[in-house]
Amino acid sequence: MEAPKPITGSLSVISQPLGATIYVDNQEYGQTPRNLKDLLIGMHSLKLTHAGYEDQTVQVEVKENNLTEANIEMSLLPQHPNEQEFTVNGVKFKMIKVEAGTFQMGSTSGDSDEKTVHSVTLTHDYYMGETEVTQELWQAVMGKNPSNFKGSNLPVETVSYQDVEKFLTKLNKLTGKNFRFPTEAEWEYAAKGGSKSKGYTYAGSNTIGDVAWYGENSDRKTHPVAQKQPNELGLYDMSGNVWEWCYDWYGSYPSGSQTNPTGPTSGSYRVGRGGGWGYDAAFCRTAFRNYGTPSSRDDNLGFR
């Protein structure tokens, strides 16, 4: 006689903010947003944790051959500072708070994939790296350095989206925090200066040489982070130096307003933003969109 097959269902877990670590019956299942398949039917304990937010635990019922949806809004812990500093194996890095707000995503003067300008509301504060991830931080986490241009304070490059996923998994284990990719909307809002935006073309200025290493001033190489002027939020090199991977699959913009968008549910390419040392000024605009396959590597390509 064959053993009976277990009866299962699925659970879709979404959180605000994104990037919360999921625990079902005390077993870790990665980070939100995520669909969990083949869970036994019945009641389960669903717990979400996120740096700077209160843990949330709810009971969810998984039903046979059904998709149960759990959309959980997390509450900020009190006394949330504007900056947070972390140390990993002796290497320090800083995260800058980006306050929630609404902005116009895209540009009427840009390429065709930017021109569907639409209102985006981000309902929760979040943190962005003050600089692009450096080679010394990558080395501290991964134990090796894949970069073409070597230097501890240079941005890490020649890393694929998939490479960065592995980095984030290890970083979170080392710190007990929940670092993740920024969404494309989060990236653009931060690059434009968030609630402090002055409407600049590039991240922090209308004069690109003030804020970016790009094709005309880079001498065909990367440069140490934080040498140029920061933008309105105190973020460096969001224009130029290296392209920065974002969470989203690449796709067309919607025509209507959005709240906390995460991009298409699937695709062939992940979004890259910000321009790089080998690119013209037009590519370094805060609204410019680029993309690459998740396995792409290039010495113009890093992340924040």
Side-chain angles (χ1 to χ4, degrees), residues 2-299:
E2 293 184 3
K5 293 182 180 179
I7 302 174
T8 61
S10 300
L11 175 64
S12 172
V13 187
I14 302 171
S15 69
Q16 301 298 337
L18 300 173
T21 300
I22 303 166
Y23 297 90
V24 177
D25 301 330
N26 295 319
Q27 181 177 347
E28 184 176 341
Y29 282 87
Q31 295 182 338
T32 59
R34 185 173 291 270
N35 285 342
L36 308 180
K37 299 179 179 179
D38 299 325
L39 292 176
L40 292 176
I41 62 170
M43 299 302 296
H44 294 270
S45 173
L46 171 63
K47 179 181 178 181
L48 298 183
T49 66
H50 194 296
Y53 292 82
E54 295 178 358
D55 294 352
Q56 298 282 344
T57 301
V58 298
Q59 297 297 311
V60 293
E61 183 177 7
V62 175
K63 299 179 180 180
E64 182 177 357
N65 297 323
N66 277 353
L67 176 65
T68 300
E69 296 184 353
N71 193 335
I72 298 174
E73 184 165 335
M74 305 184 74
S75 300
L76 277 170
L77 290 170
Q79 298 180 342
H80 215 42
N82 289 326
E83 298 180 359
Q84 291 192 25
E85 188 171 88
F86 301 89
T87 303
V88 178
N89 291 332
V91 176
K92 293 182 179 181
F93 65 99
K94 187 182 294 184
M95 305 291 290
I96 303 295
K97 183 178 180 180
V98 183
E99 294 182 349
T102 298
F103 75 110
Q104 296 299 303
M105 189 168 181
S107 171
T108 56
S109 60
D111 289 355
S112 59
D113 63 353
E114 304 167 37
K115 287 187 175 179
T116 306
V117 178
H118 55 292
S119 176
V120 170
T121 298
L122 301 174
T123 60
H124 289 82
D125 301 342
Y126 59 98
Y127 283 78
M128 289 284 284
E130 181 184 39
T131 70
E132 294 157 335
V133 170
T134 62
Q135 292 176 31
E136 67 174 354
L137 179 55
W138 183 278
Q139 178 83 38
V141 173
M142 302 296 286
K144 56 185 178 180
N145 182 5
S147 303
N148 179 42
F149 304 104
K150 292 293 196 290
S152 62
N153 207 35
L154 295 176
V156 69
E157 25 84 359
T158 319
V159 289
S160 69
Y161 184 97
Q162 295 164 343
D163 295 333
V164 178
E165 286 184 308
K166 295 175 183 177
F167 169 89
L168 291 170
T169 297
K170 290 190 175 183
L171 179 63
N172 288 336
K173 287 182 178 179
L174 287 169
T175 61
K177 304 299 181 181
N178 295 295
F179 297 99
R180 60 173 175 85
F181 290 98
T183 66
E184 186 176 17
E186 288 171 340
W187 191 97
E188 184 170 320
Y189 180 60
K192 287 181 171 179
S195 61
K196 300 177 181 179
S197 177
K198 297 181 180 178
Y200 294 131
T201 300
Y202 311 103
S205 179
N206 287 326
T207 303
I208 187 170
D210 290 344
V211 294
W213 297 107
Y214 72 114
E216 292 188 15
N217 68 0
S218 69
D219 197 26
R220 307 296 298 172
K221 62 184 180 181
T222 59
H223 289 259
V225 299
Q227 286 193 336
K228 294 290 187 177
Q229 296 175 13
N231 77 348
E232 298 94 317
L233 295 176
L235 301 171
Y236 293 88
D237 299 304
M238 292 202 77
S239 289
N241 221 359
V242 292
W243 290 95
E244 299 177 13
W245 286 112
C246 293
Y247 168 80
D248 305 42
W249 291 107
Y250 176 78
S252 299
Y253 279 161
S255 56
S257 60
Q258 288 193 302
T259 300
N260 302 319
T262 58
T265 56
S266 62
S268 300
Y269 305 99
R270 294 287 187 177
V271 171
R273 287 302 206 105
W277 60 263
Y279 287 76
D280 292 339
F283 294 87
C284 300
R285 294 178 295 105
T286 56
F288 186 85
R289 309 178 72 203
N290 203 352
Y291 54 87
T293 62
S295 60
S296 297
R297 295 187 182 99
D298 189 272
D299 58 11

